[in-house]
Amino acid sequence: MNSLAINLKVNIFATIKTAQSFNKVTYYTVKFENEEYSEFEKFIIGHRNLSEIHNEYNDLMSLIKRLGNEIGALERYFSRKERKAEALPPEWNKLRPHERKLHIKYHHNLRLYCMRINDEVVFLFNGGIKTPGKITAQECKVVRQYFRMANKLASCIEEAMKDGEISFHGKRIEIEEDYELIL
Amino acid sequence: MSDLITNAFNEIDPRNERFIEKNTDIVEEIYALMEQHGVKSQKELAKLLGKKESEVSKLLTGIQNMTLRSITNLEVALGTDIILTASKAKVRFEHTNYMICYKQIQTSSHSEKTSTNEHFQIGKVSSFKLKIA
C-alpha cells in the first residue's frame, strides 16, 4: 500500500522583548506567540525555587547582573571552547562565530542558553539542568530541547540582522513595533 | 521589562552576589595584569602555569570557586599580587602619589567676568589634607 507523507510545516512566531536593562548591557529575550511567559522568564520560573541548584542558579543570575551593571558582556565570559570540549555536533561548527556563543561560560550543570551580540547586547533564552557526565547537550534529554531552540532562535536573529530587520545602536534595539521572528 | 525578571534579579541571594562580585573582580584583575605583563592569551598564561589551557579557561569564568592556591600560583606566574589583605594594602599604598589642586574663583561685583587662580602641586607624602579654597 502506498503511503503519503505530509509535511505539516507550521510557522512559529516570536516577539523580541527587553528582559532587563543594566548600565552596561541590555538583555533581550523572546516570547512565543500564545505563550504566557518569555523564554528567560520560563528559565527563572523553572529554577528559582529548586534548593538543589540554589548556588548554581544564584551564581548564574549574579553573573548576568554583574556583567550587566559593571563589566559588560565581554567575549571572555562567553565561551565556545566549552562547547567544543563537550563535543557538540558537527553542524555547530558551521555556524558563524557569534551564533556559536550561545552558552554562558559556566562550568556547572545548570545551563542557560544565550546569544551574545556584542559587549552591550545579549539575548537570554531558556535552559535546564544538564545530566552530569561527559555527554553533549544534544545527548542530554533535559537540555536538548533548549539547546536546539536556542540554535533556531540564534539563526533567526542572525538572519534578521543580516536582512537589516534588526539592528542595534548601543544597548538599544531597532525593530518595527510589531516585528516577529518566524521560526 | 517584566516584573518577574526584575524581581528575580532583586531577589538574588546576597551571598552569591558577593561571591560573584569578588570572583569577577579577581578575574578582571588577572586580565589587567596579563595585559601589563605582556601575557597575550590564556594559552600563554597556561604555559606559564604549566597547566592546560582548558584549566586556565575554567578558572577565569568569573563563576569558578578559585582556591587560594590557584590564585597564588597565578601570582607567581605573573610575578605580582592579585589580592592583598587590607592591612598589607594599607602599608603598601601608604605613600601615594597625590595631586593637590587649589582653585580660587572670584567674581567681580562690577562685571560679569570671573577670574580663576589655579595652583597644582604634585609629589609624594604619607598623608595630606585636601584644601578646597
Side-chain angles (χ1 to χ4, degrees), chain A residues 18-21 41 44-45 54-55 58-59 61-66 71 76-77 81 105-107, chain B residues 1-2 4-6 8-9 12-13 16-17 20-21 24-25 27-28 31 42 53 57-58 61 63:
Chain A
T18 302
Q20 195 72 24
S21 193
E41 284 175 318
I44 291 168
I45 293 166
H54 175 89
N55 276 337
N58 281 278
D59 280 355
M61 292 294 284
S62 301
L63 183 63
I64 293 167
K65 190 175 173 180
R66 179 83 174 147
I71 298 171
R76 57 181 174 241
Y77 289 96
K81 286 191 179 71
K105 200 170 178 176
Y106 183 72
H107 292 260
Chain B
M1 276 183 284
S2 99
L4 191 149
I5 296 173
T6 304
F9 282 113
I12 295 172
D13 187 327
N16 295 79
E17 205 162 351
I20 294 299
E21 188 187 326
T24 48
D25 278 351
V27 168
E28 287 300 305
Y31 277 109
Q42 288 184 2
E53 191 187 347
S57 164
K58 196 173 174 180
T61 54
I63 211 153

